[in-house]
């Protein structure tokens, strides 16, 4: 149920984002979604890709420091209050979210969110119990053209 | 003492190593005989030495005991520059078979010369160096010291061959090829600068090659100061024993001193290189055990004898017997050179102090660079540290935390504020020779 996310350390200066993205593009690896977290001096690029093992290898060989993190993808109704509802469930269960970002893909009337939890296994349990749909890697790939 | 063993891996013994085990009395006899000869030779053939001795009313006959060496004048690096190129030669050029020269980062390079006999002595002390590090016939030695005017490459090359090892003269650079040959040629020993080897270890990891799985078992590192923390890192990451060796071109090149299996100080090949420790400020000799500047007199050099050469390296001499059985004295590893020091806001700083601070936080030594700038008359110190897989976590908080801890660790040791910047891997220049740790831009613009 968990997805593998790649994280890269980047310095916060012009042009730094392009190089790793070009490196994986050159290998024909498709990026499903990405997010950037940054401070004035540095940032973290987070990537969900189709073939994470290959992408990790390519990036490491090119000299980047790559970290592997497990994240959880959830689909929520794409209407006002859809996200709030999911967050309420997590809050009620006292689940700590380290960060989250939205997926660029939509699926009918649903939007897909990526969550990084302190305890992903318990989060999956809670979300599933409350009737939310956790999207696994295989299903996610099937949305991508 | 007569060693029956030949090329024994454990004791690192080789016939050339015999003087390492001479009883002290016999050693002192050799030293005095050679000292008197070299002083006579320098006095007779080198104008600078003769003038300085005459000024002090000294003649070669003034040297009656080893203690008398303290009356002789010092030689310093600028003497080599001032007499550029051949002013300190004691042999006619027809007897000189080799010239080496320093890179000359500041003005004129310095030139050093060797007669055939000097090259033989050099080969001998480098063979003793390798034997001391546990190498023997049958070892495959990859020599990644730079070949050329720099003394490292050829010095190690001749020494490796004299020992009977198989030498691969790859020189410095082309790291991917270095790693390929280590693997394909079953290399068992490698010599280069410690910073270059750290780079090789890092590159091997990127290429998915684990050096611990290969036959490589010994690393012989020199030409720049490095720390014990760096040694532990190298030993763990590459699965080798890492030894420190010491030398300088003005004296002979590599081969002045080397560690043994005890890894506790470097044995000085003092039958050829007589060491003294002096107070760098007053020039007064200090007793064994005291820390000060290392001064060396070459006891057997022919083409270019050096009398009481001030190395600028700070160390101390150890007289206690060594567990390896060698009787020649040891010197402590060079942690700092009086040259490396820079002064910022009135504080004397050695790069090794910054290294110790970084190591205290990370456990290993990351690639780093110190950048000094001046803004509005105020000196600033920035330290750029490359992010390693060990410290990189997926959280901004985690990275901010490591940055703060690195800065605080440096500030605690130096007592001055530093700006600490985390930078991407491979952004700091890698050296294939000596690492450049300090960039001083205070007098630019």
């Amino acid at each position: 149920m968990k997805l593998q996310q790649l994280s890269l350390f980047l310095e916060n200066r012009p042009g730094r984002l392009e190089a790793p993205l070009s490196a994986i593009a050159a290998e024909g690896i498709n990026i499903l979604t990405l997010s950037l977290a940054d401070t004035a001096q540095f940032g973290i690029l987070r990537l969900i890709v189709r073939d994470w093992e290959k992408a990790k290898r390519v990036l490491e060989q090119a000299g980047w420091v790559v970290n592997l993190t497990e994240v959880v993808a959830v689909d929520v109704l794409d209407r006002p209050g859809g996200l709030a509802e999911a967050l309420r469930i997590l809050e009620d269960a006292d689940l700590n979210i380290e960060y989250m970002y939205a997926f660029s893909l939509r699926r009918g009337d649903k939007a897909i969110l990526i969550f990084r939890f302190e305890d992903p296994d318990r989060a999956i349990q809670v979300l599933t119990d409350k009737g939310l749909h956790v999207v696994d890697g295989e299903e996610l790939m099937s949305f991508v053209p | 003492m007569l060693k029956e063993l030949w090329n024994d891996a454990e004791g690192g013994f080789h016939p050339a190593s015999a003087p390492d085990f001479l009883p002290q009395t016999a050693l002192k006899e050799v030293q005095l005989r050679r000292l008197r000869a070299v002083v006579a030779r320098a006095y007779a053939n080198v104008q600078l030495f003769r003038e300085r001795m005459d000024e002090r009313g000294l003649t070669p006959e003034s040297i009656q005991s080893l203690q008398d060496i303290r009356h002789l004048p010092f030689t310093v690096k600028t003497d080599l520059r001032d007499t550029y190129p051949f002013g300190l030669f004691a042999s006619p050029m027809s007897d000189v078979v080799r010239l080496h020269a320093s890179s000359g980062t500041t003005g004129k390079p310095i030139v050093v010369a060797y007669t055939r006999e000097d090259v033989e002595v050099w080969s001998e002390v480098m063979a003793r160096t390798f034997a001391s590090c546990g190498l023997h016939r049958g070892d495959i030695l990859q020599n990644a010291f730079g070949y050329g005017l720099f003394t490292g490459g050829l010095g190690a090359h001749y020494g490796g061959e004299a020992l009977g090892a198989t030498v691969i003269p790859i020189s410095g650079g082309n790291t991917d090829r270095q790693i390929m040959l280590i693997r394909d040629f079953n290399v068992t020993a490698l010599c280069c600068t410690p910073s270059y080897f750290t780079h090789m270890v890092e590159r091997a990891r990127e290429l998915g090659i684990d050096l611990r799985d290969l036959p490589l078992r010994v690393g012989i590192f020199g030409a720049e100061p490095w720390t014990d923390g760096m040694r532990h890192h190298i030993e763990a990451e590459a699965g080798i024993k890492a030894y420190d060796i010491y030398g300088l071109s003005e004296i002979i090149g590599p081969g002045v001193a080397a560690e043994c299996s005890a890894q506790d100080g470097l044995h000085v090949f003092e039958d050829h290189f007589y060491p003294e420790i002096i107070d760098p400020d007053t020039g007064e000799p200090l007793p064994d055990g005291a820390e000060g500047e290392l001064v060396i007199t070459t006891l057997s050099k022919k083409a270019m004898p050096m009398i009481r050469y001030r190395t600028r390296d700070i160390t101390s001499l150890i007289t206690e017997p060594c567990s390896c059985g060698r009787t020649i004295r040891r010197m402590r590893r060079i942690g700092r050179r009086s040259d490396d020091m820079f002064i910022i806001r009135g504080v004397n700083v050695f790069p090794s102090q910054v290294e110790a601070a970084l190591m205290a936080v990370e456990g290993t030594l990351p690639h780093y660079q110190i950048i000094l700038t001046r803004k509005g008359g105020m000196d600033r110190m920035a330290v750029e540290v490359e992010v390693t897989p060990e410290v990189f976590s997926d959280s901004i908080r985690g990275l901010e935390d490591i940055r703060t801890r690195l800065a605080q660790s440096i500030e605690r040791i130096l007592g001055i504020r530093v700006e600490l910047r985390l930078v991407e891997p491979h952004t700091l220049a890698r050296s294939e020779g000596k690492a450049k740790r300090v960039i001083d831009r205070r007098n630019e613009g």
Side-chain angles (χ1 to χ4, degrees):
Chain A
M1 297 296 266
K2 285 169 282 187
L3 300 175
Q4 301 294 340
Q5 168 193 266
L6 303 180
S7 304
L8 265 73
F9 177 87
L10 292 180
E11 280 169 59
N12 198 349
R13 51 192 173 88
R16 297 315 302 156
L17 186 56
E18 185 270 335
L21 298 180
S22 297
I24 50 178
E27 293 294 319
I29 298 166
N30 202 346
I31 298 168
L32 303 184
T33 191
L34 62 81
S35 121
L36 262 175
D38 67 321
T39 71
Q41 201 246 311
F42 59 82
I44 300 172
L45 170 65
R46 298 177 176 130
L47 294 168
I48 308 270
V49 298
R50 190 184 274 282
D51 185 351
W52 67 264
E53 281 161 316
K54 185 174 173 192
K56 183 169 186 282
R57 202 167 53 238
V58 167
L59 290 167
E60 280 177 347
Q61 286 216 1
W64 272 282
V65 171
V66 183
N67 187 296
L68 198 60
T69 315
E70 289 182 328
V71 293
V72 177
V74 183
D75 62 6
V76 298
L77 282 173
D78 191 10
R79 61 164 170 75
L83 171 60
E85 190 184 317
L87 292 178
R88 202 172 308 116
I89 290 170
L90 296 168
E91 196 178 311
D92 288 347
D94 215 13
L95 275 162
N96 203 2
I97 303 169
E98 291 190 6
Y99 56 80
M100 61 158 290
Y101 52 98
F103 216 69
S104 55
L105 290 171
R106 279 168 192 211
R107 179 197 190 201
D109 56 350
K110 303 272 184 126
I112 299 172
L113 301 171
I114 303 284
F115 286 94
R116 164 70 180 157
F117 295 108
E118 255 174 23
D119 184 352
D121 292 312
R122 198 165 78 81
I124 291 170
Q125 188 64 48
V126 168
L127 290 163
T128 315
D129 287 351
K130 297 285 179 186
L132 282 172
H133 180 53
V134 175
V135 184
D136 67 16
E138 207 173 315
E139 191 182 353
L140 198 63
M141 300 308 161
S142 70
F143 303 150
V144 187
Chain B
M1 180 193 290
L2 242 179
K3 285 266 175 176
E4 299 297 319
L5 300 164
W6 192 83
N7 264 355
D8 169 54
E10 292 300 312
F13 190 78
H14 180 279
S17 301
D20 297 5
F21 299 88
L22 271 182
Q24 277 290 318
T25 45
L27 178 65
K28 289 203 158 64
E29 226 175 84
V30 172
Q31 286 174 327
L32 180 59
R33 193 179 66 237
R34 289 183 176 168
L35 176 64
R36 297 185 57 162
V38 80
V39 170
R41 183 177 178 80
Y43 186 84
N45 298 296
V46 184
Q47 191 188 347
L48 181 103
F49 291 134
R50 188 168 50 248
E51 284 173 3
R52 287 193 181 161
M53 283 176 64
D54 285 346
E55 279 167 21
R56 288 168 172 74
L58 297 167
T59 67
E61 285 309 305
S62 310
I63 305 298
Q64 292 298 321
S65 71
L66 282 174
Q67 281 68 44
D68 290 336
I69 196 170
R70 65 173 59 204
H71 304 305
L72 293 170
F74 292 116
T75 311
V76 294
K77 194 163 200 159
T78 47
D79 292 331
L80 282 89
R81 295 224 166 88
D82 295 345
T83 56
Y84 175 85
F86 306 143
L88 293 184
F89 289 13
S91 298
M93 197 56 92
S94 53
D95 288 345
V96 171
V97 299
R98 178 100 60 81
L99 297 176
H100 281 281
S102 77
S103 48
T105 43
T106 46
K108 292 251 190 260
I110 58 158
V111 182
V112 293
Y114 303 77
T115 64
R116 189 168 304 284
E117 208 179 323
D118 291 335
V119 171
E120 278 161 20
V121 168
W122 194 13
S123 305
E124 175 206 308
V125 289
M126 275 310 289
R128 288 163 68 181
T129 292
F130 289 132
S132 183
C133 300
L135 263 60
H136 48 87
R137 177 193 285 263
D139 266 309
I140 300 176
L141 172 66
Q142 184 153 320
N143 181 12
F145 279 124
Y147 280 67
L149 283 177
F150 171 56
T151 49
L154 284 170
H157 183 99
Y158 277 63
E161 287 189 353
L163 182 80
T166 307
V167 180
I168 305 170
I170 190 168
S171 194
N174 200 340
T175 309
D176 286 10
R177 189 177 56 185
Q178 299 270 0
I179 293 162
M180 185 183 81
L181 294 197
I182 292 173
R183 188 186 57 192
D184 296 352
F185 290 4
N186 292 320
V187 167
T188 57
L190 183 142
C191 53
C192 62
T193 59
S195 56
Y196 187 45
F197 188 69
T198 310
H199 175 50
M200 274 191 221
V201 168
E202 178 186 49
R203 183 64 191 148
R205 180 155 68 172
E206 283 164 14
L207 295 172
I209 294 169
D210 191 339
L211 293 176
R212 287 170 293 204
D213 298 340
L214 303 179
L216 189 67
R217 60 179 181 83
V218 178
I220 301 108
F221 304 114
E224 63 187 17
W226 51 307
T227 57
D228 270 333
M230 217 164 141
R231 188 212 303 267
H232 296 143
H233 171 71
I234 286 172
E235 290 191 333
E237 290 292 313
I240 61 171
K241 288 287 258 183
Y243 295 101
D244 190 18
I245 65 170
Y246 175 76
L248 60 170
S249 299
E250 299 91 312
I251 298 303
I252 197 156
V256 174
E259 281 187 331
C260 61
S261 52
Q263 291 180 317
D264 182 23
L266 292 79
H267 290 281
V268 182
F269 300 116
E270 57 173 325
D271 50 322
H272 293 301
F273 313 111
Y274 187 79
E276 296 173 85
I277 299 292
I278 62 158
D279 179 324
D281 297 324
T282 64
E284 283 305 307
L286 296 174
D288 281 351
E291 190 182 77
E293 182 180 336
L294 177 67
V295 170
I296 298 175
T297 299
T298 62
L299 297 178
S300 39
K301 274 282 274 308
K302 291 288 190 286
M304 204 169 151
M306 279 292 138
I307 307 296
R308 302 194 84 199
Y309 184 75
R310 293 187 61 162
T311 64
R312 298 282 163 199
D313 289 319
I314 307 293
T315 183
S316 59
L317 292 175
I318 310 168
T319 44
E320 288 81 46
C322 182
S323 60
C324 77
R326 282 177 176 76
T327 50
I328 49 177
R329 281 178 291 175
R330 286 170 289 163
M331 59 182 230
R332 293 249 169 255
R333 299 182 67 193
I334 308 285
R336 53 205 179 95
R337 285 178 57 82
S338 49
D339 287 359
D340 284 344
M341 192 191 79
F342 58 90
I343 300 174
I344 181 155
R345 286 182 237 155
V347 180
N348 293 357
V349 179
F350 289 95
S352 57
Q353 293 175 292
V354 174
E355 275 178 29
L358 297 176
M359 197 110 60
V361 175
E362 293 209 23
T364 63
L365 184 67
H367 280 284
Y368 75 96
Q369 205 157 55
I370 297 165
I371 296 158
L372 305 175
T373 52
R374 185 169 288 155
K375 203 170 175 183
M378 182 73 164
D379 285 357
R380 290 156 187 264
M381 174 172 163
V383 180
E384 296 191 331
V385 178
E386 284 188 4
V387 166
T388 57
E390 285 76 23
V391 302
F392 178 52
S393 70
D394 173 46
S395 100
I396 293 278
R397 210 181 328 139
L399 286 168
E400 281 293 0
D401 180 56
I402 191 92
R403 198 178 69 84
T404 309
R405 282 194 294 141
L406 289 169
Q408 284 172 348
S409 180
I410 297 172
E411 284 164 8
R412 248 197 317 276
I413 287 180
L414 301 183
I416 48 173
R417 247 194 65 72
V418 298
E419 183 194 344
L420 198 126
R421 292 196 285 262
L422 295 178
V423 298
E424 288 168 29
H426 301 281
T427 42
L428 302 180
R430 294 293 189 273
S431 91
E432 281 154 4
K434 302 187 190 200
K436 186 156 178 60
R437 300 298 198 186
V438 183
I439 312 250
D440 195 340
R441 300 206 179 105
R442 286 181 290 185
N443 295 316
E444 286 174 14

